[in-house]
Amino acid sequence: MNDEVLKVAGLKVAFGSFEAVKGLSFDVLERQTLALVGESGSGKSATALSILRLIEREGGCIAGGEIQLAQNGGFLDLAGLPEDRLTGLRGNQVSMVFQEPMTSLNPVLRIGDQVSEVFIRHRAMNRKDALLASAQALEEVRIPDPVRRLGQYPHELSGGLRQRVMIAMALACRPKLLIADEPTTALDVTTQAEILKLIKTLQDEIGMGVLFITHDMGVVAEIADRVVVLKDGEKVEEADVFDLFQRPEAPYSRRLMAATPKLGDGSRTGAAEAQTVLSVEGLSTRFQTKARLFGKRDPGVLAVDNVSLHVRKGETLGLVGESGCGKSTLARSILRLIEPECGRVEIGGEVLTGLPQKALRASRKHAQMVFQDPFASLNPRLPVRDLVTEPARIHGVANAGGLRDFAASLVVRVGLEEDAIDRFPHQFSGGQRQRLCIARALSVSPKLIVADEAVSALDVSIARQITDLMLDLQKREGLSFLFISHDIAVVERVSHRIAVMYKGRVVETGPCEEVLRQPKHAYTRQLLAAVPNPDPARRRLAVPTPEPDKIAV
């Protein structure tokens, strides 16, 4: 029987008068993974931050309970430990990997300086030995050419490589406990599969316990041994992962399972209208770099390479592919938020490429964009009534006297109450803010909405609500969508057709059922093989690592 690494009993976490975690208890065993799941605001991250007492830096406090870490045959209560002793434990016996590595890594320090700091602080190594140990740590997490990476800065690495650097730092001192807070949420499926496999492999080698926090039930099925379900700061259910997925007892757990999209549940049927809303032919976009010596210019990076596609009225085209394949660049190039190098884009019968800026601005009412982060898309200083009607005012499709009533009608169309128009963005949840972004897009009655990772930052139940809203709007108003996502199960649910991008090119396109059941391209097959299956009975303990460089474009 595995020994306990961590015992949490009656944990209470408060932010002022608000109690975020209410008497939570659970254990983490060595060589096992406990998953904390629940919607945004359920207390998952607050629990994780409390274990390392980082919650105090976020304005919160531990209001009660015990956090016992295994130590020398006994247990050490972290809740009352002085800060100087906590510093010796953080990164040494207990480590944490956060969701966004770019905000966790110092952008002005080289990778080698940041990784070697762990060895210098906790292993008292000199700089030379620490750098050698850092190179070995990067090699252990399967980072290619680790010595060269030590001299690079975070912005020079992909999202997957940055997350591997964070894992290397977290595991450098062979901790007893690893806390992983949404470590794969922002990653594409192939990179996510590699990270999950890496954590599992290193867990078996080191023997550590893992506390894994996620809202992705497919990931839970893939990696967890036991699961704790949180709702409003309270534990509503704790069970073995197989029991939870087969026989969830709490109504809230059953709702979470029902909201989880599953690849293979079936794609949308029904033909779209014959009218083409978006037509893209031979579109290419290149990012130029600085001039070389003697005036010679580097050819730059061809981010979008000769892409052609179309979307018909009332149709959703799903665009999938790994991070860096060119999906977002293609979307922005279509709307000329980024200027393409060549090609032709036609929206609603009007050719956008080649239009002067004044004419382009007027034509943009035919196509609107919904971005991944709704909070960054909304001006925090403006009330909702001004935010959702801004495009309509710019394009002159609503008169000033009726803007208030117009704003109210827009928020009602996306499932919010009329009184929402007098509130500000910070007063809404993430899902509600994304509804506001959709309402703003609808204000000019567009023919096409480009949704760029519009639900990837949302938990499963809220994401389900947003995709249901899109489906309903499409049915009622005949909208067309270009739906970009790294979650192929979500894409299957909302799309009529799928286009697969790889290294800037569309390598396969066709009806959802055809592409997902009988993929023709090798990259599509590897992409589908990396999708986590929300069925622990079919979990893959050894995920095949894709080798995209060996795939022909």
Side-chain angles (χ1 to χ4, degrees), residues 268-272 312 314 496:
R268 299 181 66 187
T269 57
R312 292 175 292 180
H496 298 90

Side-chain angles (χ1 to χ4, degrees), residues 33-35 37 217-228 238-248 257 533-537 539:
T33 298
L34 177 74
V37 303
M217 299 305 289
V219 171
V220 172
E222 195 74 49
I223 199 169
D225 297 294
R226 292 189 62 78
V227 185
V228 170
E238 180 176 358
D240 176 270
V241 65
F242 296 95
D243 293 338
L244 180 72
F245 277 77
Q246 293 172 8
R247 296 177 295 276
M257 298 297 181
N533 192 319
D535 179 0
R539 69 198 303 173

Side-chain angles (χ1 to χ4, degrees), residues 5 69-76 85 89 93 176:
V5 173
L69 179 70
Q71 188 84 358
N72 299 324
F75 285 89
L76 181 67
R85 292 193 63 189
L89 293 174
Q93 296 189 40
K176 297 177 180 178

